[in-house]
Amino acid sequence: MKEKMDLSIMDMGRMMQELFRVFKKRIESEENAEVKLSSEQFSLLHALSLKEEEVIQKDMAEMMGKDKSAVLRIIDCLEEKGLVRRVAAMEDRRKNYLMVTKAGYRAIDLYMVIVYELVKELRDGLSQEDVDTFHKVVNQIRCNAIKL
Amino acid sequence: MKEKMDLSIMDMGRMMQELFRVFKKRIESEENAEVKLSSEQFSLLHALSLKEEEVIQKDMAEMMGKDKSAVLRIIDCLEEKGLVRRVAAMEDRRKNYLMVTKAGYRAIDLYMVIVYELVKELRDGLSQEDVDTFHKVVNQIRCNAIKL
DNA sequence: AAAATTAGTTGTATTTGTCAACTAATAAAC
DNA sequence: GTTTATTAGTTGACAAATACAACTAATTTT
């Protein structure tokens, strides 16, 4: 029984990996954007756009669960593409506030169209109730994961 | 409404990313193993161990949704660590059957203990019914993804 | 004032992934 | 049987992401 459960879990892991691959491929095959983004770049840009308060790099690293230097590297790319600006905080010059530029918001809008299309395709055949449960489970699992 | 759904989807995406990071960190921080494995190496080794028929690299690439050269790289590592053997097929010398070694099975057993522990922690607070629905949804989404 | 902590940066190494080109083996076509 | 096309794996080059340690400058704590 335990063994059966474990197998099932690894199977699910592989399924989720497939989702990410599809997402990644879809994002990275976009050719109409002013700037090309990798899936990780887009994810961070999007997450940043949702924050209502000013955030610094360290905040994004924590939020995304990434190493600070990993975040720095991605922000470097986004800044170079003109989608994000670092603005030194006046009260503490070590801190950089991260701001999404106009071009950044345009890129987000464009890539969100892609995401929306993909999501529509992926949820074909699923009831709203199933999706809600899925969401609930993912949320609970994430809460558990954060405790680790 | 559409916008709200999209945000929710990106949010879920981030949650699932977090799961993978936790899994990856757990796997890669194992220090008692004879050999250290990355999460991708372990995943492929485990998937291979489940196959009841002999499989070749191409099969694994398809099954894992990876590029053939990506699979080759991982198998190179696993073979070098002595966990997997390539055995040329007698009926077609282009094909390599992939066989898990004794050490390979030992490694799987050890890492599965880790996975089991992690899963227990992650599913805390979830009913079996929720987990089953989650599984069903993931399965359906994957079927949809394969069609893309 | 000195020591400790913090935010970001840099360097290095590793892993994984993509894609194209290639080789050798096999299958298909003629 | 010969030629052409396809296949399985390999190689090379490049890119992205990640980890970790060490570092610098700014700030906080002692």
Side-chain angles (χ1 to χ4, degrees), chain B residues 60-121:
Chain B
M60 293 312 294
E62 282 168 8
M63 181 182 154
M64 310 287 288
K66 292 175 187 284
D67 185 75
K68 60 181 176 177
S69 52
V71 163
L72 176 138
R73 298 270 159 69
I74 299 175
I75 291 169
D76 279 350
C77 289
L78 292 174
E79 196 177 28
E80 188 174 325
K81 294 176 199 271
L83 307 183
V84 160
R85 289 282 307 273
R86 284 178 170 97
V87 180
M90 297 194 63
E91 76 279 1
D92 182 346
R93 289 189 297 183
R94 296 173 303 177
K95 299 182 178 179
N96 293 324
Y97 289 127
L98 303 175
M99 313 197 68
V100 179
T101 65
K102 291 284 173 62
Y105 282 108
R106 285 202 300 274
I108 291 166
D109 287 344
L110 186 138
Y111 278 94
M112 283 310 298
V113 170
I114 302 169
V115 172
Y116 186 52
E117 277 302 312
L118 177 57
V119 167
K120 265 172 60 185
E121 293 166 32

Side-chain angles (χ1 to χ4, degrees), chain B residues 45 52 68:
Chain B
L45 180 64
E52 297 181 344
K68 60 181 176 177

Side-chain angles (χ1 to χ4, degrees), chain B residues 27 32-33 38-39 43-44 51 56 70 86 97 105 129 138:
Chain B
I27 292 285
N32 296 329
S38 71
S39 58
S43 292
L44 195 144
K51 304 297 294 186
I56 60 176
R86 284 178 170 97
Y97 289 127
Y105 282 108
E129 190 181 343
V138 169

Side-chain angles (χ1 to χ4, degrees), chain A residues 77-140:
Chain A
C77 290
L78 292 174
E79 195 177 29
E80 188 174 326
K81 294 173 196 276
L83 307 181
V84 159
R85 288 282 307 275
R86 285 179 170 93
V87 180
M90 297 194 63
E91 76 278 3
D92 182 343
R93 290 190 297 183
R94 296 173 303 178
K95 297 182 178 181
N96 293 324
Y97 287 126
L98 304 174
M99 313 197 68
V100 179
T101 64
K102 291 284 171 63
Y105 281 108
R106 284 202 301 274
I108 290 166
D109 287 343
L110 186 138
Y111 279 93
M112 283 312 297
V113 171
I114 302 169
V115 172
Y116 184 53
E117 277 302 312
L118 176 59
V119 168
K120 266 171 61 182
E121 293 167 34
L122 289 181
R123 63 180 296 179
D124 189 37
L126 290 169
S127 69
Q128 183 61 40
E129 190 182 340
D130 282 347
V131 173
D132 289 343
T133 302
F134 176 74
H135 191 172
K136 178 176 126 189
V137 171
V138 169
N139 211 28
Q140 177 67 44

